[in-house]
Amino acid sequence: DSGVTQTPKHLITATGQRVTLRCSPRSGDLSVYWYQQSLDQGLQFLIQYYNGEERAKGNILERFSAQQFPDLHSELNLSSLELGDSALYFCASSAGTALSGNTIYFGEGSWLTVV
Amino acid sequence: AQKVTQAQTEISVVEKEDVTLDCVYETRDTTYYLFWYKQPPSGELVFLIRRNSFDEQNEISGRYSWNFQKSTSSFNFTITASQVVDSAVYFCALSAKGAQKLVFGQGTRLTINP
């Protein structure tokens, strides 16, 4: 158990809908990362927050947004869903930031299926 | 830019065989960190090891060992006496200065047959 908690574990929704994925980082970790894993793209970095502030952005679509709350939990909002958004979405956390060499621990992921 | 290449897409061996997973990385930074993660069929990503660019000592943890060679930009992972429970997708990843993220290789699917 990595200590990173993600909910829901599985989600099936229709195209055009909006979903919210939730993440609680490991106790004491200030950084939260979101990654998307799809069959054709592999593991892609979406976005990172550090202590409530956005620190880095990757290949995140405009239809997607995220935030980190004062209690350090994070949410990833996916809207106007398309079939191609079906993927495993990972949240990860670390004590500091990635470039300081902190180990990044991943949650179990949220499986999103868009039908 | 940073890049990680895992040339072996799939490997299949018989239980008790030794197996090495290759990882080659690219970065212009002198300070960087290398990781290995395991993704079993259940889907979660499990952290295995972190190595910084200043420490080229090889590491052994039980049946697992890692060989870091800066001269060839490689960070290979060996499983000795493989077991069926080792079956998973293994990812090598790089975190370098200037990149607030992990860059992952495409992964190697390892199947251990009984």
Side-chain angles (χ1 to χ4, degrees), chain A residues 35 37 90 97-98 101 103-104, chain B residues 33 37 39 43 50 95 100 102:
Chain A
Y35 280 79
Q37 185 179 27
F90 282 108
T97 59
T103 296
I104 301 176
Chain B
Y33 304 89
Y37 288 86
Q39 186 175 36
R50 183 189 82 205
S95 170
Q100 289 269 13
L102 284 176

Side-chain angles (χ1 to χ4, degrees), chain B residues 42-95:
Chain B
S42 50
E44 72 270 29
L45 271 173
V46 179
F47 165 75
L48 295 178
I49 190 172
R50 183 189 82 205
R51 199 37 127 210
N52 74 53
S53 54
F54 300 111
D55 183 3
E56 285 193 75
Q57 249 187 336
N58 292 331
E59 181 154 340
I60 298 175
S61 176
R63 297 183 297 107
Y64 294 173
S65 62
W66 291 269
N67 181 265
F68 176 29
Q69 290 195 337
K70 287 177 75 171
S71 61
T72 57
S73 296
S74 65
F75 186 43
N76 297 336
F77 173 33
T78 297
I79 301 175
T80 304
S82 60
Q83 299 177 2
V84 172
V85 292
D86 296 326
S87 295
V89 180
Y90 290 86
F91 291 94
C92 181
L94 166 70
S95 170

Side-chain angles (χ1 to χ4, degrees), chain A residues 33 35 37 40-45 48 55-56 88 90 97-108 111, chain B residues 31 33 35 37 39 41-47 50 89 91 95-106:
Chain A
Y33 310 79
Y35 280 79
Q37 185 179 27
D40 54 345
Q41 296 290 326
L43 273 158
Q44 297 287 318
F45 169 71
Q48 182 216 354
R55 277 296 181 95
L88 179 56
F90 282 108
T97 59
L99 58 78
S100 52
N102 291 275
T103 296
I104 301 176
Y105 293 94
F106 286 77
E108 294 186 350
W111 290 90
Chain B
T31 301
Y33 304 89
F35 301 77
Y37 288 86
Q39 186 175 36
S42 50
E44 72 270 29
L45 271 173
V46 179
F47 165 75
R50 183 189 82 205
V89 180
F91 291 94
S95 170
K97 185 178 178 182
Q100 289 269 13
K101 63 179 182 180
L102 284 176
V103 174
F104 282 88
Q106 286 301 101

